[in-house]
């Protein structure tokens, strides 16, 4: 899903070359630590030359003709502008689909609610069921290893019935005995280590399918309603999108998502509704093989992408997010994140991107 089985072959594909073109590389500094830095424009692999990246926000603001291969889609009952690529049927781009207030709401939900059990995250396999991670981070709690049968039973329930030899709970720094030999990590560190959370029907990454036996809640009414409304341009006439699962991706400063195809849902005529939040990124949309040259485009906070039908067969990925010190791209978010809980969220989102992609499984 996330790369070719033959790394050498992957290096030769058009998609891989595009990933290298836009990727932001880490270079060692003098103290031996790593830092992200772009090579100068025109240097292969530096991510410096962005002249070929499609900017739908600029197209929306302009009065001239659209570039060759890009069209506007008119959809009855849908009140937002929608762009498409004429050679990629089923792909739709809705720039600025969410208001600033809506973006802030879903950023908060992504950090406070979506990692909550029974939803699983990339941390579940290591630490078991972790409740109230955001609150623990806000209160500077520390996760420590403990021996507790009740915690053991809860972890097994959220791990598909598989026993776990390690159990953890959040404590204050003062509760850790000096000299105690126990495994521990701060809640703040764990938030930064979040890479994904699964909502609704739980996706099993090892088997690449949906495991209906795992405990789960239905997609919230608010998220389901948003997905249904935004899916309209990509839905067959007279049909309604039915949100059954979602994957929330969390991107740190140097994270990327390699070229892949989302192919585990039964009906590809139904779209994936993909919501972007936080820092801007470059999104690559390729063809049905990695040998086809992909199109690069900017995704900003509040943008929504729909992929249905033939577009579901296209390789796509995120080679880079932008976390430069100049936060003009998310200045509207910064102005709205000012509450007590929002201080931690603001610090997070200045250097991170969140992607919520909602799916109809059956």
């Amino acid at each position: 899903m996330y790369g070719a089985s033959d790394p050498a072959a992957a290096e030769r594909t058009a998609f891989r070359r595009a990933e290298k073109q836009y990727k932001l590389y880490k270079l060692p500094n003098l103290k031996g630590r790593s830092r992200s830095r772009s090579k100068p424009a025109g240097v292969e692999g530096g991510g410096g030359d962005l002249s070929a990246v499609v900017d739908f926000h600029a197209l929306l603001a302009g009065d001239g003709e659209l570039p060759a291969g890009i069209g506007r889609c008119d959809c009855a009952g849908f009140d937002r502008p929608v762009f498409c690529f004429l050679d990629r049927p089923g792909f739709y781009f809705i720039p600025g689909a969410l208001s600033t207030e809506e973006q802030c709401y879903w950023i908060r939900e992504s950090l406070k609610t979506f990692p909550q059990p029974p939803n699983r995250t990339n941390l579940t396999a290591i630490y078991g069921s972790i409740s109230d991670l955001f609150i623990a981070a806000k209160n500077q709690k520390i996760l420590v290893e403990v021996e507790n049968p009740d915690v053991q039973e809860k972890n097994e329930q959220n791990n598909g019935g598989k026993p776990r030899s390690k159990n953890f709970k959040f404590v204050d720094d003062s509760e850790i005995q000096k000299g105690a030999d126990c495994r521990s990590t701060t809640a703040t560190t764990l938030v930064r280590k979040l890479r994904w959370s699964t909502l609704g029907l739980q996706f099993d990454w090892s088997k690449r399918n949906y495991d209906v036996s795992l405990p789960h809640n239905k997609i919230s009414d608010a998220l389901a309603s948003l997905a249904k409304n935004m899916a309209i341009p990509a839905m067959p006439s007279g049909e309604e999108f039915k949100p059954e699962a979602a994957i929330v991706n969390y991107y740190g400063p140097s994270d990327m998502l390699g070229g892949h195809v989302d192919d585990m849902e039964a009906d590809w005529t139904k779209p994936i509704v993909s919501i972007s939040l936080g820092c801007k990124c470059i999104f690559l949309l390729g063809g049905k093989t990695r040998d086809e040259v992909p199109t690069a485009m900017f995704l900003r906070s509040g943008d929504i992408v729909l992929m249905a039908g033939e577009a579901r067969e296209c390789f796509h990925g995120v080679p880079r997010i932008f976390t430069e010190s100049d936060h003009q791209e998310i200045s509207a978010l910064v102005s709205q994140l000012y509450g007590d809980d929002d201080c931690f969220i603001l610090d997070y989102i200045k250097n991170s991107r969140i992607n919520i992609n909602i799916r109809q499984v059956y």
Side-chain angles (χ1 to χ4, degrees), residues 120-236:
R120 295 166 61 82
T121 75
N122 59 296
L123 304 175
T124 304
I126 305 172
Y127 301 104
S129 176
I130 299 178
S131 298
D132 300 322
L133 174 59
F134 175 85
I135 295 174
K138 177 190 171 187
N139 295 322
Q140 299 182 331
K141 297 279 189 176
I142 299 173
L143 191 72
V144 298
E145 186 177 341
V146 297
E147 293 184 7
N148 187 324
D150 294 333
V151 176
Q152 172 78 24
E153 180 180 357
K154 186 176 181 180
N155 279 342
E156 289 183 13
Q157 291 174 352
N158 287 279
N159 197 43
K162 299 176 183 178
R164 295 184 51 83
S165 59
K166 307 291 184 181
N167 303 300
F168 298 84
K169 73 172 183 177
F170 287 115
V171 299
D172 292 318
D173 184 46
S174 59
E175 297 180 61
I176 300 178
Q177 297 180 355
K178 291 184 177 181
D181 184 17
C182 66
R183 182 180 176 184
S184 66
T185 186
T186 66
T188 302
T189 298
L190 292 177
V191 171
R192 284 294 178 185
K193 287 184 176 181
L194 266 179
R195 289 299 174 265
W196 54 262
S197 177
T198 47
L199 318 182
L201 293 175
Q202 298 293 287
F203 190 78
D204 187 326
W205 294 91
S206 61
K207 298 179 181 177
R208 296 192 67 238
N209 61 20
Y210 291 93
D211 189 343
V212 296
S213 68
L214 290 174
H216 65 275
N217 296 326
K218 289 185 177 180
I219 299 291
S220 70
D221 290 343
L223 186 58
S225 177
L226 173 63
K228 288 178 182 179
N229 291 335
M230 291 299 164
I232 289 174
M235 286 296 295

Side-chain angles (χ1 to χ4, degrees), residues 15 73 83-93 233-235 259-265 267-274 283-289 292 294-295 297 305-317 359:
F15 200 99
C73 303
F83 291 93
C84 61
F85 291 110
L86 303 182
D87 63 346
R88 294 289 185 269
F91 178 86
Y92 303 89
F93 193 110
M235 286 296 295
H260 66 284
V261 175
D262 295 305
D263 57 359
M264 297 313 301
E265 290 72 39
D267 186 355
W268 289 5
T269 65
K270 306 303 187 297
I272 290 178
V273 180
S274 180
F283 179 79
L284 294 178
L285 177 66
K288 296 181 181 180
T289 73
E292 296 185 50
T295 298
M297 65 200 81
V305 161
L306 310 176
M307 296 183 70
E310 290 188 33
R312 289 291 300 268
E313 303 177 56
C314 294
F315 282 87
H316 56 279
R359 297 127 184 273

Side-chain angles (χ1 to χ4, degrees), residues 270-335:
K270 306 303 187 297
I272 290 178
V273 180
S274 180
I275 304 170
S276 288
L277 301 166
C279 290
K280 179 177 70 175
C281 78
I282 289 179
F283 179 79
L284 294 178
L285 177 66
K288 296 181 181 180
T289 73
R290 290 188 177 90
D291 294 321
E292 296 185 50
V293 177
T295 298
M297 65 200 81
F298 290 121
L299 275 175
R300 293 180 172 85
S301 192
D303 292 344
I304 289 181
V305 161
L306 310 176
M307 296 183 70
E310 290 188 33
R312 289 291 300 268
E313 303 177 56
C314 294
F315 282 87
H316 56 279
V318 176
R320 178 182 176 183
I321 73 167
F322 295 82
T323 60
E324 286 82 0
S325 58
D326 182 358
H327 293 291
Q328 291 181 355
E329 291 282 355
I330 58 171
S331 59
L333 294 178
V334 172
S335 68

